[in-house]
Every structure is written in structure tokens, then in C-alpha cells.
Amino acid sequence: MITTMDILCLHFYDYKSAFTGSEGNMRYRIYKAEHEKEDGEKEALLSVTVWKGPYAFDHTKEEKIVKEFPFTEEGQKEAVNWLNDEYTILG
């Protein structure tokens, strides 16, 4: 089971680094994405991608699933819950 401690604190993602991990046969990648809203302001999101292993992100041609969450502690918890749900499918 993946926990919020497993995917590091939000501050890690402020440095534009992606975090990769795995649980069973599921692989995942998380990074901070920024999108421009209609009013011109930028919105920070936690972008999470999952795929079936065994290969790394750059070496996987199979389908990847991407979902974005608010860049907040609550969004981080939602991301972890989603990762655990996806694990039941891909794991």
C-alpha cells in the first residue's frame, strides 16, 4: 500500500523534479505541472502517471494513465488513494 510518505513531501516537487516509484507490477511517476487558467494565472497541479511494469517510464510504449490533482496536501492524499485504486487494477 502506497502512503503519502512514500511519494515525498510537496516541497520536493517545487524543484521541478519527477518522482518515480512502483508497487507490485505497477509503476508510477509524479511531478508538479503548471497550467494557465482562463484568467491568465498559473495553477499548480500534481500530475500522476501509472503504467504496468516492468519497464521505466521512458521505455514503456504501452498505455499510460494520467490524472492530475490539486497541488495541496489534500490533493496529495487524493493522489495516493488513486494510486492504491489503480494498483488493484494493474498490480
Side-chain angles (χ1 to χ4, degrees):
M1 178 174 218
I2 301 167
T3 67
T4 53
M5 292 181 66
D6 293 327
I7 66 168
L8 305 178
C9 67
L10 290 176
H11 186 64
F12 169 84
Y13 301 100
D14 284 329
Y15 293 99
K16 307 290 184 205
S17 296
F19 176 78
T20 59
S22 65
E23 183 74 19
N25 196 35
M26 181 185 78
R27 307 295 184 257
Y28 58 91
R29 179 178 184 261
I30 305 168
Y31 71 96
K32 181 181 181 179
E34 290 186 348
H35 298 290
E36 192 169 314
K37 298 190 306 186
E38 290 180 15
D39 62 5
E41 291 201 24
K42 290 190 177 188
E43 175 182 31
L45 298 167
L46 203 56
S47 182
V48 183
T49 305
V50 297
W51 66 96
K52 193 167 187 140
Y55 301 112
F57 183 84
D58 292 334
H59 300 286
T60 300
K61 294 181 174 132
E62 296 174 18
E63 183 176 328
K64 297 173 186 168
I65 303 166
V66 180
K67 187 161 181 172
E68 293 182 324
F69 301 90
F71 193 74
T72 62
E73 288 183 18
E74 184 59 37
Q76 185 183 29
K77 290 175 188 173
E78 290 174 27
V80 166
N81 289 336
W82 182 73
L83 282 168
N84 285 314
D85 289 345
E86 288 299 309
Y87 173 67
T88 61
I89 298 167
L90 297 173

